[in-house]
Amino acid sequence: MNVKFGYTFLGLAAALWLSACSSTPQQEHPDAPRGSTLSGPIVEQRWNLLLVGTNERLSMPETPFFEITQDGKVSGYDGCNRFTGKVNLGESQRIEFSELASTRMACPNMEDAKRVTDMLDTAYRYLIDHDRLVFFGPDSRVLGGWRKAN
C-alpha cells in the first residue's frame, strides 16, 4: 500500500510541476505590470524644458513640454512637433520612454527639437529637486532639465 501511495504522490507532484511550466510567460517589464497605474511626483504634471545638457537654454517660439499620465502614456511638444509614447517608471528613479511618435512638421529649429526628443529617448534615470526634474543618461551624464509648469 505504501508503494502505491508513493507512486500516486510522485505522479501528482509531476503533474503539478508540468502544469506550472505551462503557465503564461512573464511580462516584459515585471516592475510595471499591465493594467497598473503610475504614481509619484513626475506623473500627472506638466514639465517645461529648462535646459539641454547642464547649461544650454534653447530659444524656441514655444517652450517644449511633456506630461506623463497614470496609465503610462506620455505626450508633449518638442518645440516643433507634438509627440506621444509610453513611459515605464522603475525602482531607483529609473525611467524609460518608448514607442515615441511625432507629427512631421518642418520647422526652422528642427535640430533643437530633435535634441529634446533625443533627451527623452536616452533618459535612464531622473531626479526631482523642488520644482526641477533632471534626466540622466545610462552613463550618469546630465541630459537636461525641466521645470514644473504653474
Side-chain angles (χ1 to χ4, degrees):
M1 194 74 147
N2 281 339
V3 173
K4 192 174 187 180
F5 176 75
Y7 286 126
T8 303
F9 179 76
L10 186 61
L12 181 60
L16 286 173
W17 181 76
L18 287 174
S19 68
C21 291
S22 67
S23 65
T24 57
Q26 286 186 332
Q27 297 174 12
E28 289 181 81
H29 299 284
D31 51 344
R34 293 177 197 246
S36 70
T37 59
L38 300 180
S39 63
I42 194 172
V43 179
E44 297 295 334
Q45 173 64 53
R46 180 177 165 142
W47 296 94
N48 292 333
L49 181 68
L50 185 59
L51 298 170
V52 175
T54 57
N55 64 358
E56 187 177 353
R57 293 185 187 270
L58 299 181
S59 177
M60 303 174 110
E62 289 184 56
T63 303
F65 69 90
F66 74 89
E67 184 173 343
I68 297 171
T69 60
Q70 290 179 342
D71 62 353
K73 294 181 182 171
V74 62
S75 62
Y77 176 71
D78 66 9
C80 180
N81 290 291
R82 297 217 169 264
F83 63 85
T84 61
K86 294 182 180 179
V87 66
N88 183 37
L89 301 176
E91 294 180 15
S92 302
Q93 288 78 37
R94 176 81 168 84
I95 190 165
E96 178 184 20
F97 292 93
S98 62
E99 299 179 31
L100 291 177
S102 70
T103 57
R104 300 284 184 205
M105 301 289 291
C107 302
N109 54 0
M110 289 295 293
E111 289 179 22
D112 288 341
K114 182 172 178 357
R115 292 173 69 195
V116 172
T117 53
D118 286 349
M119 181 191 321
L120 298 175
D121 273 335
T122 55
Y124 185 75
R125 292 202 189 284
Y126 69 92
L127 172 72
I128 294 180
D129 183 23
H130 301 297
D131 67 339
R132 309 280 170 96
L133 168 67
V134 180
F135 285 149
F136 299 91
D139 58 357
S140 299
R141 183 176 46 94
V142 173
L143 300 175
W146 304 80
R147 177 183 280 156
K148 274 186 186 181
N150 293 334

